[in-house]
Amino acid sequence: MNSFPLNQQYLRQIFENIQDGIIIMSHKRKILLMNPAARNLTGWIPNDYVPYCTFCQQRKLEKGEGKCYLIAREEIPYFLSEMPTYHGKKINVEMSTALIYDDEESGEKEYLLVLRDQSIKQKEEEARLSKMIIHKLIEAKESEHKRLAQELHDGVGQSLYTISVALEAIESFIQNPKLQNYIDEVRQELTQVMNDVKDYSYKLRPQSLDRLGLVAAIHDLILKVERNNPTIKTTISSNVDYRLPSTVEINLYRVVQEAVHNITKYAMAESIFIELTEYQHKIEMVIRDDGVGFDVESVTKTGLGLKHMDERMNQLGGSCSIHSQPGKGTVIKASVPKGDLFL
């Protein structure tokens, strides 16, 4: 059986379906043949003439050199430039040429021109840079939170404690009842300020997270939540008995922190269930509540907190999903793959 027709058919299928634009043109740049990808990319048709790219239109020519850079410099494997299209716009393409036919008697030559659209690659690079910038911003924010929390706790907090001790010493010499009442008011105000500083420090970066890990920090968070919201009962379960990478711990903690904040503020829930589970290839955090629920589509369009949860998981190569319906509570799942961060 002669396999040549099958080979021809196979090559035709490649020519018709490959995503790169393929053009066969004469030495005068007349289009002899082109595949659908080239037609869709440029809008040109056979018997048109391939225009010169932006670089070739502007470059200075050496004596006797042709205007097309790729043909003139046959050692160049590919070249990036802008190519005019049929509707007047210019597209960024990667171009390469190859001489495929050369008739020395007639001087006729045919070239294979391959065009690769760079717009998709550019969008991917822009998305990569955007993701990297967000990642660096989150890192910088957490680093600054840690510094400020440490300063509040060790600096401002300790100074206020020193003032409190000094105030006690002064009180032992006071005999005037009116002055004593004033000192009592000052003490109450000082106590409130100390509590506020402690609370601000905790919200910025809980010390239990850095010292004891994610599970301990979640327990500490829930104690404070239940103290301020006695009608809410929380159940925490975890099979993770080791410290996770610090970037994983802080980002999962922020997801829990944001979720619990939303539950106490909007959900009118009576119960919260928090599960931290280790699987073979991932760590998953699930936060459930039995509150009033909400329409996810409408809220996620405007809810910055929900978007921030998703961004944090994306930075770790993970994902965050929210499932809720009015009257049926809410479930938030955040997962992190066990990739390079765990090495």
Side-chain angles (χ1 to χ4, degrees):
M1 180 178 177
N2 188 351
S3 63
F4 182 73
L6 292 177
N7 290 338
Q8 288 285 72
Q9 183 181 3
Y10 181 69
L11 292 174
R12 168 62 64 176
Q13 289 293 325
I14 294 176
F15 180 78
E16 294 290 338
N17 293 285
I18 194 170
Q19 297 300 307
D20 291 341
I22 299 177
I23 295 173
I24 297 175
M25 65 180 184
S26 70
H27 64 284
K28 295 181 179 180
R29 304 178 68 82
K30 183 178 181 179
I31 299 174
L32 306 176
L33 184 66
M34 64 193 307
N35 71 342
R39 190 177 295 111
N40 293 335
L41 181 63
T42 64
W44 306 331
I45 58 175
N47 295 320
D48 277 350
Y49 286 84
V50 176
Y52 291 100
C53 70
T54 301
F55 176 79
C56 290
Q57 291 175 12
Q58 299 174 351
R59 78 186 187 99
K60 294 182 179 180
L61 303 179
E62 297 180 7
K63 187 176 181 180
E65 183 182 22
K67 195 171 184 179
C68 179
Y69 184 70
L70 283 172
I71 294 177
R73 307 289 180 90
E74 292 184 351
E75 74 276 8
I76 305 298
Y78 65 89
F79 184 66
L80 296 175
S81 187
E82 290 184 327
M83 181 65 78
T85 62
Y86 76 102
H87 45 64
K89 292 185 178 180
K90 295 179 180 179
I91 55 173
N92 288 316
V93 291
E94 178 185 290
M95 298 176 286
S96 62
T97 58
L99 178 63
I100 59 175
Y101 175 76
D102 187 0
D103 189 334
E104 294 183 358
E105 292 185 4
S106 64
E108 292 290 329
K109 294 182 179 182
E110 292 181 4
Y111 290 90
L112 177 71
L113 173 63
V114 180
L115 304 175
R116 177 169 294 174
D117 187 4
Q118 294 295 293
S119 60
I120 297 176
K121 186 175 181 180
Q122 288 174 340
K123 290 178 181 178
E124 290 175 349
E125 179 64 13
E126 289 172 359
R128 186 190 70 81
L129 290 174
S130 177
K131 186 175 181 179
M132 183 185 70
I133 291 171
I134 293 173
H135 177 67
K136 293 299 182 182
L137 287 173
I138 290 175
E139 280 189 342
K141 179 181 177 181
E142 290 298 341
S143 178
E144 184 66 7
H145 280 182
K146 185 175 182 179
R147 185 190 69 80
L148 289 173
Q150 194 72 28
E151 180 63 27
L152 283 173
H153 183 271
D154 296 341
V156 178
Q158 291 300 316
S159 296
L160 290 173
Y161 178 74
T162 301
I163 294 172
S164 177
V165 172
L167 196 59
E168 287 183 2
I170 293 172
E171 281 185 289
S172 63
F173 296 99
I174 294 176
Q175 304 296 329
N176 189 322
K178 290 185 178 181
L179 185 57
Q180 181 63 53
N181 290 337
Y182 177 72
I183 293 295
D184 290 340
E185 292 177 2
V186 172
R187 173 172 292 283
Q188 291 177 6
E189 186 69 22
L190 180 61
T191 301
Q192 182 61 50
V193 171
M194 292 174 67
N195 289 334
D196 288 344
V197 169
K198 185 177 180 180
D199 188 49
Y200 295 150
S201 175
Y202 180 84
K203 288 179 179 178
L204 283 170
R205 179 95 173 196
Q207 289 192 326
S208 57
L209 181 66
D210 295 315
R211 292 177 179 176
L212 302 175
L214 177 60
V215 176
I218 292 174
H219 277 282
D220 196 17
L221 172 66
I222 294 306
L223 284 175
K224 294 180 182 296
V225 170
E226 291 183 337
R227 190 181 303 126
N228 296 326
N229 304 271
T231 60
I232 296 179
K233 300 301 178 184
T234 303
T235 302
I236 303 172
S237 66
S238 172
N239 67 348
V240 179
D241 56 1
Y242 62 95
R243 291 295 301 270
L244 301 174
S246 59
T247 53
V248 174
E249 287 191 334
I250 185 58
N251 283 289
L252 283 175
Y253 177 81
R254 293 303 186 198
V255 170
V256 176
Q257 188 180 41
E258 180 65 29
V260 171
H261 170 76
N262 289 337
I263 292 170
T264 57
K265 189 173 182 180
Y266 305 111
M268 294 186 285
E270 295 181 354
S271 301
I272 303 173
F273 304 89
I274 300 175
E275 300 171 271
L276 179 65
T277 307
E278 177 187 19
Y279 295 98
Q280 184 176 359
H281 300 295
K282 67 177 180 179
I283 300 292
E284 184 176 79
M285 175 77 73
V286 179
I287 307 110
R288 296 185 177 89
D289 70 71
D290 60 355
V292 297
F294 59 92
D295 179 66
V296 175
E297 185 175 351
S298 61
V299 172
T300 51
K301 290 180 180 179
T302 57
L304 291 177
L306 301 180
K307 292 179 181 178
H308 290 164
M309 287 192 287
D310 190 49
E311 286 176 355
R312 286 180 176 276
M313 292 300 99
N314 284 336
Q315 297 309 309
L316 301 176
S319 62
C320 183
S321 62
I322 303 170
H323 305 277
S324 184
Q325 293 182 26
K328 295 186 177 181
T330 301
V331 179
I332 296 175
K333 292 184 179 180
S335 65
V336 180
K338 288 182 176 179
D340 296 339
L341 289 170
F342 286 78
L343 298 179

